[in-house]
């Protein structure tokens, strides 16, 4: 897989058999998590005709990456099927993609991109500046449905000076523009594409093509042998959507999958054999966030919101989930620029929480409902209900299908509390922004809870980049 898919296989850990990886951070006394990265022997040769089977958790509801929200699309489509003007390497450094090079004017208001002259779409047509201009204009136009439209808010105009040169002019300097172009906002579609037709098919420019989608089961990519750049190193990749952690472990142990992402940190014991599995460790940019709707209901009162924060012992939640995550007190994880330790703000203090609730008029108790996508561990909802119950808040936990969550919470803003995992680096503007599954504009207050451990890049045997 190329860089973006590797980085976007987001969750808790990844396991791979021989010539694959296992990743995760568990307790110190867990033999599968002895505190050091362990590396199994790598193959001397790469089988370029191989099929790689990968376990993922969240299946997309649609393949329309131009309009449909959710990190599940970024995980598999970015840089594999679709490409932007720019991309990011495994160290999150901005690199050329469809634009082989670019220049910034001295005043920072004009960016000029030179497109690869031999790039083609999967239907065989050439990629031109007209395609890139049209694509960026779909993002910047009023009413754009692109989930990353905010990334190009500074763009004043987009034009083509010739068939392979794109000129972007800005309203003001924007040091985040190139970063924004590495994501959905920078994808180059064929001019005139009807995005609604992409729900179950594609016409990208990347090193893989969509081969098939067995809804509720798997999505298959095959190598694009006509790819204009460096060819993918395997012939086929099958993404298997397995929600249950134990079932995923069994699939990995029995050889049904080669790569298991999002492995639960306290279930890694079966993969402690260093001759068969590689264990990689690090920190992710994922952020589990409890979103509070501050536009209506009891959570409109800041005292209630503060009470909820103070009622939850995040350290206890992390321990419940295997001990691999880290507390965060704000929307910026330690891996992102601008990080500051804010865990002391509204820190765990149940006595103070009770006082705040009494001041807000809820001294005799309060009933609230939290909506949680069923792809997340049930232990989280149970823990929240227990913690809030100790300060007089009766919490009803509703675990729903992710598509239902997208409709009710993300689209209609119908929720009191909602738990969501903000994936992606620098995805921390607000719960209503970013590339990940997230609450809608109605939720302007969020409680950052914890960051799970890193899902590391997949082995280079999979992808088009070394």
């Amino acid at each position: 897989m190329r860089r973006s898919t590797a980085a976007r296989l987001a969750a808790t850990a990844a396991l791979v058999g021989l010539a694959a990886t296992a990743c995760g951070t568990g307790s110190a006394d867990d033999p599968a998590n002895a505190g050091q990265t362990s590396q199994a022997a790598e193959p001397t040769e790469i089988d370029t005709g191989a099929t790689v089977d990968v376990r993922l958790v969240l299946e997309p509801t649609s393949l329309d990456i131009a309009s449909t929200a959710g990190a599940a699309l970024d995980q598999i489509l970015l840089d594999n099927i679709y490409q932007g003007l720019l991309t990011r390497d495994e160290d999150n450094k901005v690199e050329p993609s469809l634009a082989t090079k670019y220049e910034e004017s001295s005043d920072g208001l004009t960016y000029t991109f030179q497109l690869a002259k031999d790039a083609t779409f999967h239907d065989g047509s050439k990629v031109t500046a007209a395609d890139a201009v049209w694509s960026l204009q779909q993002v910047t136009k009023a009413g754009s449905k692109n989930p990353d439209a905010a990334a190009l808010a500074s763009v004043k105009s987009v034009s083509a000076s010739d068939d392979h040169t794109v000129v972007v002019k800005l309203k003001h300097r924007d040091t985040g523009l190139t970063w924004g172009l590495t994501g959905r906002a920078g994808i180059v579609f064929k001019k005139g594409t009807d995005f609604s037709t992409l729900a179950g098919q594609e016409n990208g420019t990347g090193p893989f093509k969509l081969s098939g989608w067995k809804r509720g089961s798997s999505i298959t990519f095959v190598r694009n042998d006509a790819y204009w750049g460096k060819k993918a190193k395997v012939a086929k990749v099958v993404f298997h959507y397995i929600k249950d952690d134990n079932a995923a472990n069994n699939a990995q142990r029995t050889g049904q999958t080669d790569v298991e992402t999002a492995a639960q940190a306290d279930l890694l014991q079966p993969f402690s054999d260093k001759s068969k599995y590689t264990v990689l460790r690090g920190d992710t940019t994922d952020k589990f966030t409890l979103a509070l709707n501050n536009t209506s209901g009891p959570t409109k009162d800041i005292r209630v919101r503060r009470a909820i924060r103070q009622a939850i012992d995040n350290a206890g939640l992390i321990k419940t989930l295997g001990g691999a995550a880290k507390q965060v007190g704000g929307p910026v994880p330690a891996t992102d620029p601008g990080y500051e330790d804010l865990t002391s703000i509204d820190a765990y203090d149940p006595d103070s929480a009770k006082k705040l609730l009494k001041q807000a008029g809820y001294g005799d108790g309060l009933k609230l409902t939290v909506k949680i996508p069923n792809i997340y561990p049930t232990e989280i909802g149970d823990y929240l209900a227990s913690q809030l119950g100790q300060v007089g808040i009766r919490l009803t936990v509703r675990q729903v299908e992710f598509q239902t969550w997208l409709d009710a919470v993300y689209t209609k803003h119908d929720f009191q509390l909602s738990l969501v995992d903000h994936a992606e680096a620098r995805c921390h503007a607000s719960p209503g922004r970013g590339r990940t599954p997230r609450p809608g504009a109605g939720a302007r207050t969020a409680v950052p809870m914890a960051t799970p451990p890193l899902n590391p890049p997949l082995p280079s045997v999979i992808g088009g980049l070394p």
Side-chain angles (χ1 to χ4, degrees), residues 22-47:
C23 80
T25 307
S27 58
D29 57 354
D30 182 350
N33 297 280
Q36 298 293 326
T37 292
S38 62
Q39 182 80 35
E42 298 224 353
T44 56
E45 295 183 3
I46 294 174
D47 179 3

Side-chain angles (χ1 to χ4, degrees), residues 245-260:
D245 291 313
N246 287 305
N249 276 3
N250 288 335
Q252 181 68 22
R253 292 173 63 189
T254 57
Q256 298 174 59
T257 56
D258 301 299
V259 180
E260 179 188 341

Side-chain angles (χ1 to χ4, degrees), residues 293 296 369 371 398 404-418 440 442:
N293 193 328
S296 64
T369 297
K371 294 180 180 178
R398 289 189 57 198
T404 300
W405 185 93
L406 278 175
D407 179 62
V409 178
Y410 175 70
T411 303
K412 298 178 180 176
H413 315 158
D414 178 18
F415 71 100
Q416 290 180 315
L417 280 69
S418 183

Side-chain angles (χ1 to χ4, degrees), residues 273-294:
D273 187 342
K274 296 180 181 180
S275 68
K276 295 181 178 179
Y277 303 100
T278 294
V279 178
L280 304 178
R281 293 177 175 80
D283 293 324
T284 184
T285 56
D286 284 41
K287 301 161 287 291
F288 273 104
T289 301
L290 182 64
L292 316 177
N293 193 328
N294 66 359

Side-chain angles (χ1 to χ4, degrees), residues 325-342:
K326 297 182 179 180
Q327 291 192 60
V328 291
V332 183
T335 52
D336 279 1
Y339 167 74
E340 182 178 355
D341 185 351
L342 302 175

Side-chain angles (χ1 to χ4, degrees), residues 19 27 89 104 167 213 247 298 331 363:
S27 58
D89 66 14
E104 177 186 356
V167 180
W213 182 7

Side-chain angles (χ1 to χ4, degrees), residues 335-358:
T335 52
D336 279 1
Y339 167 74
E340 182 178 355
D341 185 351
L342 302 175
T343 53
S344 62
I345 298 176
D346 281 329
Y348 179 56
D349 189 342
D351 290 335
S352 176
K354 293 177 182 178
K355 293 177 182 178
L356 286 169
L357 288 172
K358 185 175 182 180

